[in-house]
Amino acid sequence: MSTTSVVMMIVAMVVVWGGLVAAILYLRSRPEVVGGPHEDPDLVRDDEERFQQPHPYRDT
């Protein structure tokens, strides 16, 4: 391997692994919100009404 290819390989590895480490550190410092805001009651009602309706069959 030439010097250029080794340098590019190292740069690519630093970018990939550095991005992984940065993502892990970011997620550890700001975890996903578990008790977030509640859903819109209108959307929940629409979903429940749609669930009660029979499945729309297509007869072709």
Side-chain angles (χ1 to χ4, degrees):
M1 292 176 72
S2 67
T3 305
T4 306
S5 62
V6 171
V7 169
M8 288 305 296
M9 180 183 68
I10 291 172
V11 167
M13 289 170 49
V14 167
V15 167
V16 170
W17 290 106
L20 177 64
V21 169
I24 290 171
L25 292 176
Y26 177 80
L27 289 174
R28 286 185 70 194
S29 66
R30 295 170 185 85
E32 186 175 332
V33 177
V34 177
H38 299 287
E39 290 188 30
D40 185 15
D42 295 332
L43 294 177
V44 173
R45 186 184 68 246
D46 291 344
D47 288 343
E48 290 172 353
E49 289 174 1
R50 193 176 307 115
F51 180 72
Q52 297 299 327
Q53 296 175 356
H55 187 272
Y57 293 103
R58 182 174 179 179
D59 188 22
T60 56

Coordinates of all heavy atoms in Angstrom, one line a residue:
M1 N 0.8 -1.2 0.0 CA 0.0 0.0 0.0 C 0.9 1.2 0.0 O 1.9 1.3 0.7 CB -0.9 0.0 1.2 CG -2.0 -1.1 1.2 SD -3.0 -1.1 2.7 CE -4.0 0.3 2.5
S2 N 0.4 2.2 -0.7 CA 1.2 3.4 -0.8 C 0.9 4.3 0.4 O 0.0 4.1 1.2 CB 0.9 4.2 -2.1 OG -0.4 4.7 -2.0
T3 N 1.7 5.3 0.6 CA 1.6 6.2 1.7 C 0.2 7.0 1.7 O -0.4 7.1 2.7 CB 2.7 7.3 1.7 OG1 4.0 6.6 1.7 CG2 2.7 8.2 3.0
T4 N -0.2 7.3 0.5 CA -1.4 8.0 0.3 C -2.6 7.2 0.7 O -3.5 7.6 1.4 CB -1.6 8.5 -1.2 OG1 -0.5 9.2 -1.5 CG2 -2.9 9.3 -1.3
S5 N -2.6 5.9 0.3 CA -3.7 5.0 0.7 C -3.7 4.7 2.2 O -4.8 4.6 2.8 CB -3.6 3.7 -0.1 OG -2.4 3.0 0.2
V6 N -2.6 4.7 2.8 CA -2.5 4.4 4.3 C -3.1 5.7 5.0 O -3.9 5.5 6.0 CB -1.1 4.1 4.8 CG1 -1.0 4.1 6.3 CG2 -0.6 2.8 4.2
V7 N -2.7 6.8 4.6 CA -3.2 8.1 5.2 C -4.7 8.2 5.0 O -5.5 8.5 5.9 CB -2.5 9.3 4.6 CG1 -3.2 10.6 5.0 CG2 -1.0 9.3 5.0
M8 N -5.2 7.9 3.8 CA -6.7 7.9 3.6 C -7.4 6.9 4.4 O -8.5 7.1 4.9 CB -7.0 7.8 2.1 CG -6.6 9.0 1.2 SD -7.3 10.5 1.8 CE -9.0 10.1 1.6
M9 N -6.8 5.7 4.6 CA -7.4 4.7 5.4 C -7.5 5.2 6.9 O -8.6 5.0 7.5 CB -6.6 3.4 5.3 CG -7.2 2.3 6.2 SD -6.3 0.8 6.1 CE -4.8 1.2 7.0
I10 N -6.5 5.8 7.3 CA -6.5 6.3 8.7 C -7.5 7.4 8.9 O -8.2 7.4 9.9 CB -5.1 6.7 9.1 CG1 -4.1 5.5 9.2 CG2 -5.1 7.5 10.4 CD1 -2.7 5.8 9.4
V11 N -7.6 8.3 7.9 CA -8.6 9.4 8.0 C -10.0 8.8 8.0 O -10.8 9.2 8.8 CB -8.4 10.3 6.8 CG1 -9.5 11.3 6.6 CG2 -7.1 11.1 6.9
A12 N -10.2 7.8 7.1 CA -11.6 7.2 7.1 C -11.9 6.5 8.4 O -13.0 6.6 8.9 CB -11.6 6.2 5.9
M13 N -10.9 5.8 9.0 CA -11.2 5.1 10.2 C -11.4 6.1 11.4 O -12.3 5.9 12.2 CB -10.0 4.2 10.6 CG -9.9 3.0 9.7 SD -8.3 2.1 9.9 CE -8.1 1.9 11.6
V14 N -10.7 7.2 11.4 CA -10.9 8.3 12.4 C -12.3 8.9 12.2 O -13.0 9.1 13.2 CB -9.8 9.4 12.3 CG1 -10.2 10.6 13.1 CG2 -8.5 8.8 12.8
V15 N -12.8 9.1 11.0 CA -14.1 9.7 10.8 C -15.2 8.7 11.2 O -16.1 9.1 12.0 CB -14.3 10.0 9.3 CG1 -15.7 10.3 9.0 CG2 -13.4 11.2 8.9
V16 N -15.1 7.4 10.9 CA -16.1 6.5 11.2 C -16.1 6.2 12.7 O -17.1 6.3 13.4 CB -15.9 5.2 10.4 CG1 -16.8 4.1 11.0 CG2 -16.1 5.4 9.0
W17 N -15.0 5.8 13.3 CA -14.9 5.5 14.7 C -15.1 6.8 15.6 O -15.7 6.7 16.6 CB -13.6 4.8 15.1 CG -13.6 3.4 14.5 CD1 -12.8 3.0 13.4 CD2 -14.3 2.3 14.9 NE1 -13.1 1.7 13.2 CE2 -14.0 1.2 14.1 CE3 -15.2 2.1 15.9 CZ2 -14.5 0.0 14.2 CZ3 -15.8 0.8 16.1 CH2 -15.4 -0.2 15.2
G18 N -14.6 7.9 15.1 CA -14.9 9.2 15.8 C -16.3 9.5 15.9 O -16.8 10.0 16.9
G19 N -17.0 9.3 14.7 CA -18.4 9.6 14.7 C -19.2 8.6 15.6 O -20.2 9.1 16.3
L20 N -18.8 7.4 15.7 CA -19.4 6.5 16.6 C -19.2 6.9 18.0 O -20.2 6.9 18.8 CB -18.9 5.0 16.4 CG -19.4 4.0 17.3 CD1 -20.9 3.8 17.1 CD2 -18.6 2.7 17.1
V21 N -18.0 7.2 18.4 CA -17.7 7.7 19.8 C -18.5 9.0 20.1 O -19.1 9.1 21.2 CB -16.2 7.9 20.0 CG1 -15.9 8.6 21.3 CG2 -15.5 6.5 19.9
A22 N -18.5 9.9 19.2 CA -19.3 11.1 19.4 C -20.8 10.9 19.6 O -21.4 11.5 20.4 CB -19.1 12.1 18.2
A23 N -21.3 9.9 18.8 CA -22.7 9.6 18.9 C -23.0 8.9 20.3 O -24.0 9.3 20.9 CB -23.2 8.7 17.8
I24 N -22.1 8.1 20.7 CA -22.3 7.4 22.0 C -22.3 8.4 23.1 O -23.1 8.4 24.1 CB -21.3 6.3 22.2 CG1 -21.6 5.1 21.2 CG2 -21.2 5.8 23.6 CD1 -20.5 4.1 21.2
L25 N -21.3 9.3 23.1 CA -21.2 10.3 24.1 C -22.4 11.3 24.1 O -22.9 11.6 25.2 CB -19.9 11.1 23.9 CG -18.6 10.3 24.2 CD1 -17.4 11.2 23.9 CD2 -18.5 9.8 25.6
Y26 N -22.8 11.6 23.0 CA -24.0 12.5 22.9 C -25.2 11.8 23.5 O -26.0 12.4 24.3 CB -24.3 12.9 21.4 CG -25.5 13.7 21.3 CD1 -25.5 15.1 21.5 CD2 -26.7 13.2 20.9 CE1 -26.6 15.9 21.4 CE2 -27.9 13.9 20.7 CZ -27.8 15.3 21.0 OH -28.9 16.1 20.8
L27 N -25.5 10.5 23.1 CA -26.6 9.8 23.7 C -26.5 9.6 25.2 O -27.5 9.5 25.9 CB -26.8 8.5 22.9 CG -27.3 8.7 21.5 CD1 -27.3 7.4 20.8 CD2 -28.7 9.3 21.4
R28 N -25.3 9.4 25.7 CA -25.2 9.2 27.1 C -25.4 10.5 27.9 O -26.0 10.5 29.0 CB -23.7 8.7 27.4 CG -23.5 7.3 27.0 CD -22.2 6.8 27.4 NE -22.2 6.7 28.9 CZ -21.1 6.5 29.6 NH1 -19.9 6.5 29.0 NH2 -21.1 6.4 30.9
S29 N -25.1 11.6 27.3 CA -25.3 12.9 28.0 C -26.8 13.4 27.8 O -27.3 14.1 28.7 CB -24.4 14.0 27.4 OG -24.7 14.3 26.1
R30 N -27.5 13.0 26.7 CA -28.8 13.4 26.5 C -29.7 12.2 26.2 O -30.0 12.0 25.0 CB -28.9 14.4 25.4 CG -28.2 15.7 25.7 CD -28.1 16.6 24.4 NE -27.3 17.7 24.7 CZ -26.0 17.8 24.6 NH1 -25.3 16.7 24.3 NH2 -25.3 19.0 24.8
P31 N -30.1 11.4 27.2 CA -30.8 10.2 26.8 C -32.2 10.5 26.3 O -32.7 11.6 26.4 CB -30.9 9.5 28.2 CG -30.8 10.6 29.2 CD -29.9 11.6 28.6
E32 N -32.8 9.5 25.7 CA -34.1 9.7 25.1 C -35.2 10.0 26.2 O -35.2 9.4 27.2 CB -34.5 8.4 24.4 CG -35.8 8.5 23.6 CD -36.1 7.2 22.8 OE1 -35.1 6.6 22.4 OE2 -37.3 6.9 22.6
V33 N -36.0 10.9 25.9 CA -37.1 11.3 26.9 C -38.1 10.2 26.9 O -38.7 9.8 25.9 CB -37.7 12.6 26.4 CG1 -38.8 13.0 27.4 CG2 -36.7 13.7 26.4
V34 N -38.4 9.7 28.1 CA -39.3 8.6 28.3 C -40.7 9.1 28.6 O -41.7 8.7 28.0 CB -38.9 7.6 29.4 CG1 -39.9 6.6 29.7 CG2 -37.5 7.0 29.1
G35 N -40.8 10.1 29.5 CA -42.1 10.6 29.9 C -42.4 11.9 29.1 O -42.7 12.9 29.8
G36 N -42.3 11.9 27.8 CA -42.5 13.1 27.0 C -44.0 13.6 27.0 O -44.8 13.0 27.7
P37 N -44.2 14.6 26.2 CA -45.6 15.1 26.1 C -46.6 14.0 25.6 O -46.2 13.2 24.8 CB -45.5 16.3 25.2 CG -44.3 16.0 24.4 CD -43.4 15.2 25.3
H38 N -47.8 14.1 26.0 CA -48.8 13.2 25.6 C -49.3 13.4 24.2 O -49.2 14.6 23.7 CB -50.0 13.2 26.6 CG -49.6 12.9 28.0 ND1 -49.3 11.6 28.4 CD2 -49.5 13.7 29.1 CE1 -49.0 11.6 29.7 NE2 -49.1 12.9 30.1
E39 N -49.8 12.4 23.6 CA -50.3 12.6 22.2 C -51.5 13.4 22.2 O -52.2 13.5 23.2 CB -50.6 11.2 21.6 CG -49.3 10.4 21.3 CD -49.7 9.1 20.6 OE1 -50.6 9.1 19.8 OE2 -49.0 8.1 20.8
D40 N -51.8 14.0 21.0 CA -53.0 14.8 20.8 C -54.2 13.9 21.0 O -54.3 12.8 20.3 CB -52.9 15.3 19.4 CG -54.1 16.3 19.1 OD1 -54.8 16.7 20.1 OD2 -54.3 16.6 17.9
P41 N -55.2 14.2 21.8 CA -56.3 13.4 22.1 C -57.1 13.1 20.8 O -57.7 12.1 20.6 CB -57.2 14.2 23.1 CG -56.2 15.2 23.7 CD -55.2 15.4 22.7
D42 N -57.2 14.1 19.9 CA -57.9 13.9 18.6 C -57.3 12.8 17.8 O -58.0 12.0 17.2 CB -58.0 15.2 17.8 CG -58.8 16.3 18.5 OD1 -59.7 15.9 19.3 OD2 -58.5 17.5 18.3
L43 N -56.0 12.8 17.8 CA -55.3 11.7 17.0 C -55.5 10.4 17.6 O -55.7 9.4 16.9 CB -53.8 12.0 16.9 CG -53.4 13.3 16.1 CD1 -51.9 13.5 16.1 CD2 -53.9 13.2 14.6
V44 N -55.5 10.3 18.9 CA -55.7 9.0 19.6 C -57.1 8.5 19.3 O -57.3 7.3 19.1 CB -55.5 9.2 21.1 CG1 -55.9 7.9 21.9 CG2 -54.0 9.5 21.4
R45 N -58.1 9.4 19.4 CA -59.5 9.1 19.1 C -59.6 8.6 17.7 O -60.3 7.6 17.4 CB -60.4 10.2 19.4 CG -61.9 9.9 19.3 CD -62.8 11.1 19.4 NE -62.7 12.0 18.3 CZ -62.2 13.2 18.3 NH1 -61.8 13.7 19.5 NH2 -62.1 13.9 17.3
D46 N -59.0 9.3 16.7 CA -59.1 8.8 15.3 C -58.5 7.4 15.2 O -59.0 6.6 14.4 CB -58.3 9.8 14.4 CG -59.1 11.1 14.3 OD1 -60.3 11.2 14.7 OD2 -58.4 12.1 13.9
D47 N -57.4 7.2 15.8 CA -56.7 5.9 15.8 C -57.7 4.8 16.3 O -57.8 3.7 15.8 CB -55.4 5.8 16.5 CG -54.3 6.6 15.7 OD1 -54.5 6.9 14.5 OD2 -53.3 6.9 16.4
E48 N -58.3 5.1 17.5 CA -59.2 4.1 18.1 C -60.4 3.8 17.2 O -60.8 2.7 17.1 CB -59.6 4.6 19.5 CG -58.5 4.5 20.5 CD -58.8 5.2 21.8 OE1 -59.9 5.8 21.9 OE2 -58.0 5.1 22.7
E49 N -60.9 4.9 16.6 CA -62.1 4.7 15.7 C -61.7 3.9 14.5 O -62.4 3.0 14.0 CB -62.6 6.0 15.3 CG -63.4 6.8 16.4 CD -63.8 8.2 15.9 OE1 -63.5 8.6 14.7 OE2 -64.3 8.9 16.7
R50 N -60.5 4.1 13.9 CA -60.0 3.4 12.8 C -59.8 1.9 13.1 O -60.0 1.0 12.3 CB -58.8 4.0 12.2 CG -58.4 3.5 10.9 CD -57.1 4.3 10.3 NE -57.3 5.7 10.3 CZ -56.5 6.5 11.1 NH1 -55.6 6.0 11.9 NH2 -56.7 7.8 11.0
F51 N -59.4 1.7 14.3 CA -59.1 0.3 14.8 C -60.4 -0.5 14.9 O -60.4 -1.7 14.6 CB -58.4 0.3 16.1 CG -58.1 -1.1 16.6 CD1 -57.1 -1.8 16.1 CD2 -58.8 -1.6 17.7 CE1 -56.8 -3.1 16.5 CE2 -58.5 -2.8 18.2 CZ -57.5 -3.6 17.6
Q52 N -61.5 0.2 15.2 CA -62.8 -0.5 15.4 C -63.4 -0.8 14.0 O -64.3 -1.7 14.0 CB -63.8 0.4 16.2 CG -63.3 0.6 17.6 CD -63.2 -0.6 18.4 OE1 -63.9 -1.6 18.2 NE2 -62.2 -0.7 19.3
Q53 N -63.1 -0.1 13.0 CA -63.7 -0.4 11.7 C -63.1 -1.7 11.1 O -61.9 -2.0 11.3 CB -63.4 0.8 10.7 CG -64.0 2.1 11.2 CD -63.6 3.2 10.3 OE1 -62.8 3.1 9.4 NE2 -64.2 4.4 10.5
P54 N -63.9 -2.3 10.2 CA -63.4 -3.6 9.6 C -62.3 -3.2 8.6 O -62.3 -2.1 8.1 CB -64.6 -4.2 8.9 CG -65.5 -3.0 8.8 CD -65.3 -2.1 9.9
H55 N -61.5 -4.1 8.3 CA -60.4 -3.9 7.3 C -61.0 -3.7 5.9 O -61.9 -4.5 5.5 CB -59.5 -5.2 7.3 CG -58.3 -4.9 6.5 ND1 -58.3 -5.2 5.1 CD2 -57.0 -4.5 6.7 CE1 -57.1 -4.9 4.6 NE2 -56.3 -4.5 5.6
P56 N -60.6 -2.7 5.2 CA -61.1 -2.5 3.9 C -60.6 -3.5 2.9 O -59.4 -3.5 2.5 CB -60.7 -1.1 3.5 CG -59.4 -0.9 4.3 CD -59.6 -1.7 5.6
Y57 N -61.4 -4.4 2.5 CA -61.1 -5.4 1.5 C -61.2 -4.8 0.1 O -62.2 -4.1 -0.2 CB -61.9 -6.7 1.6 CG -61.6 -7.4 2.9 CD1 -62.5 -7.3 4.0 CD2 -60.4 -8.1 3.1 CE1 -62.2 -7.9 5.2 CE2 -60.1 -8.7 4.3 CZ -61.0 -8.6 5.3 OH -60.8 -9.3 6.5
R58 N -60.4 -5.3 -0.8 CA -60.5 -4.8 -2.2 C -60.8 -6.0 -3.1 O -60.0 -7.0 -3.2 CB -59.2 -4.1 -2.6 CG -59.3 -3.6 -4.0 CD -58.0 -2.8 -4.3 NE -58.1 -2.3 -5.7 CZ -57.2 -1.6 -6.3 NH1 -56.1 -1.3 -5.6 NH2 -57.3 -1.2 -7.5
D59 N -61.9 -6.1 -3.7 CA -62.3 -7.2 -4.5 C -62.2 -6.8 -6.0 O -63.0 -6.1 -6.5 CB -63.8 -7.6 -4.2 CG -64.2 -8.9 -4.9 OD1 -63.2 -9.7 -5.2 OD2 -65.4 -9.1 -5.1
T60 N -61.1 -7.3 -6.6 CA -60.9 -7.0 -8.0 C -60.8 -8.2 -8.8 O -60.5 -9.3 -8.4 CB -59.6 -6.2 -8.2 OG1 -58.5 -6.9 -7.7 CG2 -59.7 -4.8 -7.5

